[in-house]
């Protein structure tokens, strides 16, 4: 699936307008929070945020800026998962999951050196990803995808444990966010 398809899938999954009392993100439309929309220049009401504007925000903030196109050139399923996770948790969190997984899978630095977990795709992250994929063969992307999803799932459970109001969202997060990006990709 290309980035336009991923954006459409996220928007479809997120739905239209929402303002759930337990959601700290407040009013959202197409999954874009009011704070994000305002920071990107939207001045209208959230109920009126056009789908095309949401798509532009998703492309800019959750695909291009975090350099997921560079990840997609190497591992498209992984990039799709990082995009979807980044929409829900923030791109830096998604990329930290990738960096942590790569560090843990490098066989004590035997395949490539550990990197700083900084939430940014840069030369060290891309070099580690290249080395991981080259050293582990055809199944490597799927294994890395599972590691990222495991970290994502643990984070969801921890969020619900720390803030009981988040329990209202845990089932949906696990049902609708885990492994969704790779389907149909």
């Amino acid at each position: 699936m290309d980035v336009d398809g991923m954006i459409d899938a996220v928007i479809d999954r997120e739905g239209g307008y929402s303002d759930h009392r337990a959601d700290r993100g407040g009013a959202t439309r197409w999954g874009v929070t009011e704070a994000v929309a305002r920071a990107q220049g939207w001045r209208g009401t959230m109920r009126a945020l056009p789908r095309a504007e949401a798509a532009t925000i998703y492309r800019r903030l959750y695909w291009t800026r975090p350099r997921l196109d560079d990840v997609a050139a190497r591992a498209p399923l992984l990039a799709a998962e990082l995009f979807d996770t980044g929409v829900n948790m923030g791109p830096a969190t998604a990329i930290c999951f990738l960096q942590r997984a790569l560090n843990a899978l490098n066989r004590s630095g035997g395949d490539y050196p550990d990197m700083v977990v900084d939430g940014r795709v840069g030369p060290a992250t891309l070099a580690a990803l290249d080395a991981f994929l080259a050293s582990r063969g055809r199944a490597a992307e799927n294994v890395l995808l599972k590691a990222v999803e495991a970290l994502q799932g643990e984070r969801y459970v921890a969020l619900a444990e720390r803030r009981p109001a988040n329990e209202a969202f845990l089932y949906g997060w696990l049902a609708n966010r885990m492994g969704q990006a790779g389907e149909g990709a």
Side-chain angles (χ1 to χ4, degrees), residues 58-120:
Y58 280 129
R59 178 183 296 278
R60 180 184 313 121
L61 296 184
Y62 301 94
W63 184 259
T64 304
R65 188 176 291 170
R67 297 184 59 191
L68 293 184
D69 51 336
D70 290 331
V71 174
R74 296 156 167 85
L77 295 177
L78 176 65
E81 182 59 37
L82 294 173
F83 170 76
D84 189 69
T85 302
V87 165
N88 191 244
M89 297 183 169
T93 298
I95 294 163
C96 284
F97 292 163
L98 170 63
Q99 292 169 329
R100 288 177 58 202
L102 284 167
N103 282 346
L105 289 164
N106 71 359
R107 295 187 270 207
S108 300
D111 292 333
Y112 47 89
D114 278 345
M115 73 191 90
V116 173
V117 177
D118 62 5
R120 295 184 311 219

Side-chain angles (χ1 to χ4, degrees), residues 14-20 23 25-55 57-58 62:
E14 290 290 344
Y17 179 79
S18 174
D19 193 5
H20 194 286
D23 187 350
T28 66
R29 176 135 167 108
W30 312 117
V32 176
T33 66
E34 186 169 11
V36 168
R38 299 281 180 243
Q40 295 301 304
W42 177 251
R43 298 295 169 238
T45 68
M46 287 307 292
R47 286 186 189 276
L49 181 74
R51 184 181 175 113
E53 181 68 20
I57 290 169
Y58 280 129
Y62 301 94

